[in-house]
Amino acid sequence: MTPKVFICDVDGVMTDGGFYYTAKGKVMKKFGGDDHDGLSLLKPYLEIRFVTGDRRGFEISKARIATDMKMPLDLVSTIERLEWISKSYNPAEVIYMGDGIFDHYVMQGVGYSIAPANAHPFARTAANFTTAASGGAGAVAEASLHILEKFFTAYNPAAPLPGKVTFSGAWEANKK
């Protein structure tokens, strides 16, 4: 299997899964710091996109994923994700990363699946790989490195960074 796309859930994978409320409603989510850099290493090899089922917190996710990271984000309920994936991709060529109580349904229908360490037991059991890191604490960076090693070319931390890859903070490796 050569994967073509990495589809990553936002809440509980890119974030710690918590929703922070005040009397005005949902006001913030906590995202991990290294995940964008891990994805930047992976981006030359396959399409990366994000999904969330969190309608109320969509604008918060959009600010981080679409605006800051410049990656596509779609609002798709977990129970509709496999059908959504099938409309645009061959599910056998999809890597999916999720953490929730219903994500195992998606994981069972795609080519390869990953769960963060703190995912629901159903997701961890269905996943082909479970990260040592929790959601919002480097799980996506770890998953990115795993995907590189398993399907493409392993990242070598002793080698120079690949050229023309934009990392978090809009830094570019080997910018000339």
Side-chain angles (χ1 to χ4, degrees):
M1 184 270 252
T2 301
K4 303 280 192 245
V5 62
F6 179 35
I7 300 174
C8 189
D9 188 12
V10 174
D11 302 300
V13 178
M14 285 293 288
T15 74
D16 64 1
F19 298 135
Y20 301 89
Y21 278 83
T22 68
K24 296 181 189 234
K26 192 178 294 184
V27 294
M28 74 173 76
K29 299 178 182 186
K30 179 182 170 245
F31 288 82
D34 290 331
D35 292 333
H36 183 214
D37 288 338
L39 289 165
S40 295
L41 293 170
L42 187 58
K43 195 170 184 178
Y45 297 93
L46 73 171
E47 179 183 352
I48 299 168
R49 55 185 319 121
F50 292 88
V51 291
T52 181
D54 182 20
R55 188 178 307 278
R56 287 190 197 124
F58 185 79
E59 292 303 315
I60 299 168
S61 296
K62 182 178 170 186
R64 175 63 179 143
I65 303 298
T67 304
D68 292 349
M69 294 172 50
K70 311 256 185 284
M71 295 196 187
L73 171 68
D74 294 285
L75 182 63
V76 183
S77 165
T78 306
I79 59 174
E80 297 172 345
R81 285 186 190 163
L82 194 51
E83 181 181 342
W84 176 84
I85 288 168
S86 297
K87 287 180 182 176
S88 299
Y89 304 99
N90 173 353
E93 298 175 336
V94 171
I95 298 172
Y96 177 78
M97 186 168 184
D99 71 304
I101 192 168
F102 300 125
D103 279 314
H104 67 285
Y105 292 115
V106 183
M107 293 172 163
Q108 292 166 353
V110 298
Y112 195 80
S113 58
I114 302 172
N118 61 334
H120 189 278
F122 295 163
R124 288 195 319 266
T125 299
N128 297 105
F129 177 75
T130 299
T131 63
S134 292
V140 175
E142 183 182 339
S144 296
L145 294 174
H146 171 76
I147 293 166
L148 284 170
E149 183 175 343
K150 181 162 183 67
F151 297 103
F152 303 105
T153 301
Y155 169 66
N156 178 359
L161 288 169
K164 295 312 262 178
V165 176
T166 303
F167 295 94
S168 61
W171 299 102
E172 281 190 11
N174 303 325
K175 189 173 182 181
K176 295 181 182 181

Short mmCIF file of all heavy atoms in Angstrom, two decimals, residues 10-58:
data_model
loop_
_atom_site.label_atom_id
_atom_site.label_comp_id
_atom_site.label_asym_id
_atom_site.label_seq_id
_atom_site.Cartn_x
_atom_site.Cartn_y
_atom_site.Cartn_z
N VAL A 10 -9.00 16.47 14.39
CA VAL A 10 -8.43 17.60 15.14
C VAL A 10 -8.51 17.36 16.64
O VAL A 10 -7.50 17.30 17.34
CB VAL A 10 -9.13 18.93 14.76
CG1 VAL A 10 -8.64 20.07 15.65
CG2 VAL A 10 -8.90 19.27 13.29
N ASP A 11 -9.72 17.22 17.15
CA ASP A 11 -9.93 17.19 18.60
C ASP A 11 -9.52 15.86 19.21
O ASP A 11 -10.01 14.81 18.83
CB ASP A 11 -11.40 17.52 18.90
CG ASP A 11 -11.76 18.88 18.34
OD1 ASP A 11 -11.13 19.86 18.74
OD2 ASP A 11 -12.65 18.95 17.47
N GLY A 12 -8.57 15.92 20.12
CA GLY A 12 -8.04 14.74 20.76
C GLY A 12 -6.83 14.17 20.05
O GLY A 12 -6.18 13.26 20.55
N VAL A 13 -6.51 14.70 18.87
CA VAL A 13 -5.35 14.27 18.11
C VAL A 13 -4.38 15.45 17.98
O VAL A 13 -3.26 15.41 18.48
CB VAL A 13 -5.75 13.70 16.73
CG1 VAL A 13 -4.52 13.31 15.92
CG2 VAL A 13 -6.69 12.51 16.91
N MET A 14 -4.82 16.51 17.34
CA MET A 14 -4.03 17.75 17.29
C MET A 14 -4.14 18.52 18.61
O MET A 14 -3.27 19.33 18.92
CB MET A 14 -4.51 18.64 16.15
CG MET A 14 -4.11 18.18 14.77
SD MET A 14 -2.33 18.28 14.47
CE MET A 14 -2.09 20.05 14.34
N THR A 15 -5.22 18.28 19.33
CA THR A 15 -5.43 18.96 20.61
C THR A 15 -5.43 17.93 21.73
O THR A 15 -5.42 16.73 21.49
CB THR A 15 -6.78 19.70 20.65
OG1 THR A 15 -7.84 18.73 20.77
CG2 THR A 15 -7.00 20.55 19.42
N ASP A 16 -5.49 18.43 22.95
CA ASP A 16 -5.56 17.52 24.10
C ASP A 16 -6.96 16.97 24.32
O ASP A 16 -7.19 16.20 25.23
CB ASP A 16 -5.06 18.21 25.37
CG ASP A 16 -5.91 19.39 25.81
OD1 ASP A 16 -6.94 19.70 25.15
OD2 ASP A 16 -5.56 20.02 26.83
N GLY A 17 -7.90 17.35 23.47
CA GLY A 17 -9.26 16.84 23.54
C GLY A 17 -10.18 17.64 24.45
O GLY A 17 -11.38 17.41 24.47
N GLY A 18 -9.60 18.58 25.19
CA GLY A 18 -10.42 19.40 26.09
C GLY A 18 -11.09 20.55 25.36
O GLY A 18 -10.55 21.09 24.39
N PHE A 19 -12.26 20.90 25.81
CA PHE A 19 -12.96 22.08 25.31
C PHE A 19 -13.07 23.04 26.48
O PHE A 19 -13.57 22.69 27.54
CB PHE A 19 -14.37 21.73 24.81
CG PHE A 19 -14.38 20.77 23.64
CD1 PHE A 19 -15.27 19.72 23.63
CD2 PHE A 19 -13.52 20.91 22.58
CE1 PHE A 19 -15.31 18.83 22.56
CE2 PHE A 19 -13.54 20.03 21.51
CZ PHE A 19 -14.44 18.99 21.49
N TYR A 20 -12.59 24.25 26.30
CA TYR A 20 -12.53 25.23 27.37
C TYR A 20 -13.69 26.21 27.22
O TYR A 20 -13.79 26.90 26.21
CB TYR A 20 -11.18 25.94 27.34
CG TYR A 20 -10.04 24.96 27.51
CD1 TYR A 20 -9.45 24.34 26.40
CD2 TYR A 20 -9.57 24.63 28.76
CE1 TYR A 20 -8.42 23.43 26.55
CE2 TYR A 20 -8.54 23.71 28.93
CZ TYR A 20 -7.98 23.12 27.81
OH TYR A 20 -6.95 22.22 27.97
N TYR A 21 -14.55 26.22 28.22
CA TYR A 21 -15.77 27.02 28.19
C TYR A 21 -15.74 28.13 29.23
O TYR A 21 -15.17 27.98 30.30
CB TYR A 21 -16.99 26.14 28.52
CG TYR A 21 -17.53 25.35 27.36
CD1 TYR A 21 -16.96 24.13 26.99
CD2 TYR A 21 -18.61 25.81 26.62
CE1 TYR A 21 -17.46 23.39 25.94
CE2 TYR A 21 -19.12 25.09 25.56
CZ TYR A 21 -18.54 23.88 25.22
OH TYR A 21 -19.03 23.16 24.17
N THR A 22 -16.39 29.24 28.88
CA THR A 22 -16.75 30.29 29.83
C THR A 22 -18.26 30.45 29.70
O THR A 22 -18.91 29.72 28.94
CB THR A 22 -16.05 31.62 29.50
OG1 THR A 22 -16.59 32.14 28.27
CG2 THR A 22 -14.55 31.47 29.41
N ALA A 23 -18.81 31.42 30.37
CA ALA A 23 -20.25 31.68 30.25
C ALA A 23 -20.63 32.05 28.82
O ALA A 23 -21.78 31.90 28.42
CB ALA A 23 -20.66 32.81 31.20
N LYS A 24 -19.66 32.48 28.02
CA LYS A 24 -19.93 32.84 26.63
C LYS A 24 -19.84 31.65 25.69
O LYS A 24 -20.05 31.77 24.50
CB LYS A 24 -18.95 33.92 26.18
CG LYS A 24 -19.13 35.20 26.95
CD LYS A 24 -18.18 36.26 26.47
CE LYS A 24 -18.27 37.42 27.41
NZ LYS A 24 -18.52 38.66 26.83
N GLY A 25 -19.49 30.46 26.22
CA GLY A 25 -19.41 29.26 25.39
C GLY A 25 -17.98 28.77 25.23
O GLY A 25 -17.09 29.15 25.99
N LYS A 26 -17.77 27.96 24.21
CA LYS A 26 -16.45 27.39 23.93
C LYS A 26 -15.52 28.51 23.47
O LYS A 26 -15.82 29.22 22.52
CB LYS A 26 -16.57 26.32 22.85
CG LYS A 26 -15.33 25.48 22.69
CD LYS A 26 -15.51 24.41 21.63
CE LYS A 26 -16.54 23.41 22.05
NZ LYS A 26 -16.69 22.30 21.14
N VAL A 27 -14.39 28.65 24.15
CA VAL A 27 -13.51 29.77 23.85
C VAL A 27 -12.12 29.37 23.38
O VAL A 27 -11.42 30.19 22.78
CB VAL A 27 -13.37 30.73 25.05
CG1 VAL A 27 -14.70 31.40 25.35
CG2 VAL A 27 -12.83 30.02 26.27
N MET A 28 -11.68 28.14 23.65
CA MET A 28 -10.34 27.77 23.19
C MET A 28 -10.13 26.26 23.20
O MET A 28 -10.88 25.52 23.80
CB MET A 28 -9.25 28.45 24.02
CG MET A 28 -9.07 27.88 25.42
SD MET A 28 -7.66 28.57 26.30
CE MET A 28 -8.31 30.16 26.75
N LYS A 29 -9.05 25.88 22.49
CA LYS A 29 -8.57 24.50 22.45
C LYS A 29 -7.05 24.58 22.59
O LYS A 29 -6.43 25.55 22.15
CB LYS A 29 -8.91 23.83 21.12
CG LYS A 29 -10.39 23.73 20.83
CD LYS A 29 -10.63 23.09 19.47
CE LYS A 29 -12.12 23.03 19.16
NZ LYS A 29 -12.38 22.29 17.92
N LYS A 30 -6.45 23.55 23.16
CA LYS A 30 -5.00 23.51 23.32
C LYS A 30 -4.40 22.58 22.26
O LYS A 30 -4.67 21.40 22.24
CB LYS A 30 -4.63 23.00 24.70
CG LYS A 30 -3.14 22.92 24.93
CD LYS A 30 -2.84 22.36 26.30
CE LYS A 30 -1.37 22.06 26.42
NZ LYS A 30 -1.10 20.65 26.57
N PHE A 31 -3.59 23.16 21.37
CA PHE A 31 -2.91 22.42 20.31
C PHE A 31 -1.48 22.12 20.73
O PHE A 31 -0.86 22.89 21.46
CB PHE A 31 -2.89 23.24 19.01
CG PHE A 31 -4.23 23.34 18.34
CD1 PHE A 31 -5.16 24.28 18.75
CD2 PHE A 31 -4.55 22.50 17.29
CE1 PHE A 31 -6.40 24.38 18.13
CE2 PHE A 31 -5.80 22.59 16.67
CZ PHE A 31 -6.72 23.53 17.09
N GLY A 32 -0.93 21.03 20.22
CA GLY A 32 0.46 20.67 20.50
C GLY A 32 1.44 21.51 19.72
O GLY A 32 1.12 22.06 18.67
N GLY A 33 2.66 21.60 20.23
CA GLY A 33 3.66 22.48 19.63
C GLY A 33 4.45 21.88 18.48
O GLY A 33 4.82 22.59 17.55
N ASP A 34 4.76 20.60 18.49
CA ASP A 34 5.64 20.01 17.47
C ASP A 34 4.90 19.41 16.28
O ASP A 34 5.54 19.04 15.29
CB ASP A 34 6.49 18.89 18.09
CG ASP A 34 7.54 19.43 19.04
OD1 ASP A 34 7.99 20.58 18.84
OD2 ASP A 34 7.91 18.71 19.98
N ASP A 35 3.60 19.32 16.37
CA ASP A 35 2.85 18.60 15.35
C ASP A 35 2.98 19.22 13.96
O ASP A 35 3.12 18.51 12.96
CB ASP A 35 1.38 18.48 15.75
CG ASP A 35 1.21 17.56 16.95
OD1 ASP A 35 2.05 16.66 17.15
OD2 ASP A 35 0.23 17.75 17.69
N HIS A 36 2.94 20.54 13.87
CA HIS A 36 3.05 21.19 12.57
C HIS A 36 4.40 20.89 11.93
O HIS A 36 4.49 20.64 10.72
CB HIS A 36 2.83 22.70 12.70
CG HIS A 36 2.85 23.41 11.39
ND1 HIS A 36 3.33 24.68 11.24
CD2 HIS A 36 2.45 23.04 10.15
CE1 HIS A 36 3.23 25.06 9.98
NE2 HIS A 36 2.70 24.08 9.30
N ASP A 37 5.47 20.88 12.72
CA ASP A 37 6.79 20.59 12.16
C ASP A 37 6.87 19.15 11.64
O ASP A 37 7.43 18.91 10.58
CB ASP A 37 7.88 20.84 13.20
CG ASP A 37 8.09 22.33 13.45
OD1 ASP A 37 7.73 23.15 12.57
OD2 ASP A 37 8.60 22.68 14.52
N GLY A 38 6.29 18.21 12.38
CA GLY A 38 6.26 16.83 11.91
C GLY A 38 5.51 16.70 10.60
O GLY A 38 5.95 16.01 9.67
N LEU A 39 4.38 17.39 10.52
CA LEU A 39 3.59 17.37 9.28
C LEU A 39 4.34 18.03 8.13
O LEU A 39 4.21 17.61 6.98
CB LEU A 39 2.25 18.07 9.51
CG LEU A 39 1.27 17.32 10.40
CD1 LEU A 39 0.14 18.24 10.85
CD2 LEU A 39 0.72 16.09 9.69
N SER A 40 5.15 19.04 8.43
CA SER A 40 5.93 19.71 7.38
C SER A 40 6.94 18.76 6.76
O SER A 40 7.23 18.85 5.57
CB SER A 40 6.65 20.94 7.96
OG SER A 40 5.71 21.90 8.37
N LEU A 41 7.49 17.84 7.55
CA LEU A 41 8.40 16.83 7.01
C LEU A 41 7.65 15.84 6.12
O LEU A 41 8.20 15.33 5.14
CB LEU A 41 9.08 16.07 8.15
CG LEU A 41 10.07 16.85 9.01
CD1 LEU A 41 10.46 16.03 10.23
CD2 LEU A 41 11.29 17.24 8.19
N LEU A 42 6.41 15.57 6.45
CA LEU A 42 5.59 14.59 5.75
C LEU A 42 4.96 15.14 4.47
O LEU A 42 4.73 14.41 3.50
CB LEU A 42 4.51 14.09 6.70
CG LEU A 42 3.62 12.94 6.28
CD1 LEU A 42 4.45 11.70 5.96
CD2 LEU A 42 2.61 12.65 7.38
N LYS A 43 4.69 16.42 4.45
CA LYS A 43 3.92 17.05 3.36
C LYS A 43 4.46 16.82 1.95
O LYS A 43 3.68 16.69 1.01
CB LYS A 43 3.79 18.55 3.64
CG LYS A 43 2.73 19.22 2.81
CD LYS A 43 2.46 20.62 3.28
CE LYS A 43 1.34 21.22 2.49
NZ LYS A 43 1.01 22.56 2.93
N PRO A 44 5.77 16.73 1.74
CA PRO A 44 6.24 16.46 0.37
C PRO A 44 5.83 15.08 -0.18
O PRO A 44 5.89 14.85 -1.38
CB PRO A 44 7.77 16.55 0.48
CG PRO A 44 8.02 17.37 1.69
CD PRO A 44 6.89 17.06 2.62
N TYR A 45 5.40 14.19 0.69
CA TYR A 45 5.12 12.81 0.29
C TYR A 45 3.65 12.49 0.04
O TYR A 45 3.35 11.55 -0.68
CB TYR A 45 5.67 11.83 1.34
CG TYR A 45 7.16 11.90 1.47
CD1 TYR A 45 7.75 12.73 2.41
CD2 TYR A 45 7.98 11.15 0.63
CE1 TYR A 45 9.14 12.80 2.53
CE2 TYR A 45 9.36 11.22 0.74
CZ TYR A 45 9.93 12.06 1.69
OH TYR A 45 11.29 12.14 1.80
N LEU A 46 2.75 13.20 0.70
CA LEU A 46 1.33 12.91 0.51
C LEU A 46 0.48 14.09 0.91
O LEU A 46 0.93 15.00 1.60
CB LEU A 46 0.91 11.64 1.25
CG LEU A 46 0.77 11.64 2.77
CD1 LEU A 46 0.12 10.33 3.21
CD2 LEU A 46 2.10 11.75 3.44
N GLU A 47 -0.74 14.07 0.45
CA GLU A 47 -1.71 15.11 0.81
C GLU A 47 -2.05 14.98 2.29
O GLU A 47 -2.21 13.87 2.81
CB GLU A 47 -2.97 14.94 -0.04
CG GLU A 47 -4.05 15.95 0.25
CD GLU A 47 -5.33 15.70 -0.55
OE1 GLU A 47 -5.34 14.83 -1.45
OE2 GLU A 47 -6.32 16.37 -0.26
N ILE A 48 -2.19 16.11 2.95
CA ILE A 48 -2.56 16.13 4.37
C ILE A 48 -3.81 16.98 4.51
O ILE A 48 -3.87 18.09 3.99
CB ILE A 48 -1.43 16.71 5.25
CG1 ILE A 48 -0.17 15.87 5.12
CG2 ILE A 48 -1.89 16.82 6.70
CD1 ILE A 48 1.07 16.51 5.72
N ARG A 49 -4.80 16.43 5.20
CA ARG A 49 -6.01 17.22 5.47
C ARG A 49 -6.56 16.86 6.83
O ARG A 49 -6.24 15.82 7.38
CB ARG A 49 -7.05 17.11 4.38
CG ARG A 49 -7.54 15.80 3.98
CD ARG A 49 -8.51 15.88 2.79
NE ARG A 49 -9.44 16.98 2.85
CZ ARG A 49 -9.53 17.95 1.92
NH1 ARG A 49 -8.77 17.92 0.86
NH2 ARG A 49 -10.40 18.92 2.05
N PHE A 50 -7.39 17.74 7.35
CA PHE A 50 -7.94 17.59 8.69
C PHE A 50 -9.45 17.56 8.66
O PHE A 50 -10.08 18.18 7.81
CB PHE A 50 -7.48 18.76 9.58
CG PHE A 50 -6.01 18.73 9.86
CD1 PHE A 50 -5.12 19.33 9.00
CD2 PHE A 50 -5.53 18.07 10.98
CE1 PHE A 50 -3.76 19.28 9.25
CE2 PHE A 50 -4.19 18.01 11.23
CZ PHE A 50 -3.29 18.62 10.37
N VAL A 51 -10.00 16.83 9.64
CA VAL A 51 -11.45 16.78 9.83
C VAL A 51 -11.77 17.03 11.30
O VAL A 51 -10.98 16.69 12.18
CB VAL A 51 -12.06 15.43 9.38
CG1 VAL A 51 -11.98 15.26 7.89
CG2 VAL A 51 -11.40 14.27 10.09
N THR A 52 -12.91 17.63 11.51
CA THR A 52 -13.42 17.82 12.86
C THR A 52 -14.93 17.66 12.82
O THR A 52 -15.57 18.03 11.83
CB THR A 52 -13.04 19.19 13.46
OG1 THR A 52 -13.57 19.29 14.79
CG2 THR A 52 -13.58 20.35 12.63
N GLY A 53 -15.48 17.14 13.87
CA GLY A 53 -16.93 17.05 14.01
C GLY A 53 -17.45 18.12 14.95
O GLY A 53 -18.63 18.15 15.28
N ASP A 54 -16.57 19.01 15.39
CA ASP A 54 -16.90 20.03 16.39
C ASP A 54 -17.42 21.30 15.73
O ASP A 54 -16.66 22.21 15.43
CB ASP A 54 -15.68 20.32 17.24
CG ASP A 54 -15.96 21.33 18.33
OD1 ASP A 54 -17.14 21.55 18.69
OD2 ASP A 54 -14.98 21.91 18.84
N ARG A 55 -18.74 21.34 15.50
CA ARG A 55 -19.35 22.50 14.85
C ARG A 55 -19.17 23.77 15.68
O ARG A 55 -18.82 24.83 15.15
CB ARG A 55 -20.84 22.22 14.61
CG ARG A 55 -21.54 23.26 13.79
CD ARG A 55 -23.01 22.91 13.55
NE ARG A 55 -23.22 21.59 12.98
CZ ARG A 55 -23.13 21.28 11.69
NH1 ARG A 55 -22.82 22.20 10.83
NH2 ARG A 55 -23.35 20.05 11.28
N ARG A 56 -19.37 23.69 16.98
CA ARG A 56 -19.26 24.89 17.84
C ARG A 56 -17.82 25.42 17.93
O ARG A 56 -17.62 26.61 18.10
CB ARG A 56 -19.78 24.60 19.24
CG ARG A 56 -21.27 24.48 19.29
CD ARG A 56 -21.76 24.42 20.73
NE ARG A 56 -23.11 23.93 20.75
CZ ARG A 56 -23.52 22.89 21.43
NH1 ARG A 56 -22.67 22.24 22.21
NH2 ARG A 56 -24.76 22.50 21.37
N GLY A 57 -16.87 24.54 17.84
CA GLY A 57 -15.47 24.96 17.93
C GLY A 57 -14.77 25.04 16.58
O GLY A 57 -13.54 25.16 16.53
N PHE A 58 -15.54 24.99 15.50
CA PHE A 58 -14.94 24.96 14.17
C PHE A 58 -14.06 26.17 13.90
O PHE A 58 -12.97 26.05 13.34
CB PHE A 58 -16.02 24.84 13.09
CG PHE A 58 -15.44 24.68 11.71
CD1 PHE A 58 -14.98 23.44 11.28
CD2 PHE A 58 -15.34 25.75 10.83
CE1 PHE A 58 -14.43 23.28 10.01
CE2 PHE A 58 -14.80 25.60 9.57
CZ PHE A 58 -14.34 24.36 9.16
#
